[in-house]
Amino acid sequence: MAEEEPLHEWAARRDRRRAAEREMTGTRRAVPLTDGARASHVAPDAPRALLEWDGHAWVTVGVAPNADAAREFLGHRPAPEPDSGPDDRPSHPGLGPGPGRHRKS
């Protein structure tokens, strides 16, 4: 019978595999070129490095001037701007005619 792998080696190998699987969530990325948090809402005007997965490594393919340009690279479409005005709010459905069971007479 073959000698078994020590548990700590197996756990380390499993953790490396899981980290690699978590890393691969798509084929394109936009990484902020600033220090700190990587979320797009933290520094929306900061430039982003545009990366593509070539099958072996992440390759830099360009730089976006801000988060909106990076979203376009990632394939996200910007939400349409809402029209401002007094009629853009949905009206309350209101109560229909009649006494209704929930109303006091």
Side-chain angles (χ1 to χ4, degrees), residues 22-96:
R22 273 194 305 272
E23 201 63 29
M24 281 302 304
T25 57
T27 58
R28 288 183 165 190
R29 285 188 177 171
V31 181
L33 296 176
T34 58
D35 292 333
R38 295 178 62 171
S40 64
H41 68 279
V42 174
D45 295 328
R48 267 72 173 153
L50 305 176
L51 309 172
E52 283 189 345
W53 182 253
D54 69 355
H56 300 285
W58 289 101
V59 179
T60 303
V61 295
V63 176
N66 56 33
D68 289 334
R71 279 188 206 98
E72 290 179 21
F73 169 76
L74 296 173
H76 300 291
R77 295 187 181 142
E81 292 290 327
D83 293 333
S84 60
D87 297 339
D88 64 346
R89 291 186 185 162
S91 63
H92 188 277
L95 299 174

